[in-house]
Amino acid sequence: MPSVVVFDCFDTLVTSRPLPDAETWPAVLAETLDLDARDSGAVVREVFGTLYTAMSDRSATQPATLHLLEAALRKRGLTRDRPDQERALWRALGCDDPGQYQLCAPVAEALRRAADAGHTVRLLSNCYLPGSQMRLLLERLGVPPVWERALFTADGGPKKPDPRAFGRVGDGDFQRRVMVGDSAELDIVPAAALGWETVHIDPAAPDPAPLYELLGC
């Protein structure tokens, strides 16, 4: 039976320590983008304040992180190259710290087994990192490159639990759709409401055995 199996990223496929605090972000942006403290603080408040507001509203679409950063800089008469902006976000979100993010090995193996069994594997993540950086982070963590495509909400658009996010990532001629995630509110309940099958992953004790049972792999 053709199936698409969609995996959540954070706290499912990837675990992380708490993000760097809000005081760290202005310092990182000031250093990486060569800003003074006042500009850096204002940019951080505008960018991450907008993102927090969007994330706290279940029905709101998420603005693209890089567009927000570029607009906040331009508003203050500042221009910075896109690679420098990406580097600032990478550092601000702790990606230079080798202990910030870790691969969840049992879930990574579940990705591989689902793909090896002939299922289409995709990713769906509410995130702040743009898609290009999410792909780099996943590659560096050793996520098996078996997923066909992904929806990373930091590129802009609907986010979980919005049904449109599930519709976009689950589109195609599939007889069954499966959501694998840690959050009942963001992953399991909204997917089940759309008729998807679901597998809950406990970050404290990740066990993909129910997925193997469901897929027969």
Side-chain angles (χ1 to χ4, degrees), residues 153-174:
T153 65
D155 288 332
K159 63 186 186 306
K160 299 180 296 182
D162 191 321
R164 292 174 296 173
F166 292 90
R168 289 186 181 185
V169 79
D171 69 324
D173 187 20
F174 299 105

Side-chain angles (χ1 to χ4, degrees), residues 30-168:
E31 178 185 352
T32 309
L33 297 177
D34 191 23
L35 305 176
D36 65 33
R38 183 174 61 181
D39 281 333
S40 179
V43 167
V44 167
R45 286 191 296 273
E46 188 166 333
V47 171
F48 289 99
T50 302
L51 287 172
Y52 283 144
T53 299
M55 288 298 212
S56 63
D57 182 345
R58 292 167 59 103
S59 62
T61 57
Q62 183 175 337
T65 307
L66 276 171
H67 291 173
L68 287 175
L69 178 55
E70 190 168 28
L73 290 167
R74 193 185 311 116
K75 181 177 177 180
R76 290 159 183 83
L78 302 166
T79 58
R80 297 294 185 270
D81 292 338
R82 178 58 64 90
D84 290 334
Q85 294 180 44
E86 292 177 343
R87 175 69 177 157
L89 290 173
W90 179 266
R91 294 190 61 210
L93 292 167
C95 299
D96 270 349
D97 179 352
Q100 178 67 47
Y101 301 100
Q102 299 292 329
L103 179 67
C104 179
V107 177
E109 177 61 19
L111 254 79
R112 188 185 301 280
R113 283 180 60 170
D116 286 348
H119 302 290
T120 297
V121 174
R122 295 176 180 171
L123 306 179
L124 172 59
S125 180
N126 284 7
C127 56
Y128 295 134
L129 279 171
S132 59
Q133 293 184 306
M134 282 293 296
R135 290 176 177 85
L136 178 59
L137 177 64
L138 297 175
E139 179 183 348
R140 290 190 177 185
L141 291 174
V143 172
V146 297
W147 46 281
E148 179 221 22
R149 60 185 173 89
L151 192 158
F152 297 125
T153 65
D155 288 332
K159 63 186 186 306
K160 299 180 296 182
D162 191 321
R164 292 174 296 173
F166 292 90
R168 289 186 181 185

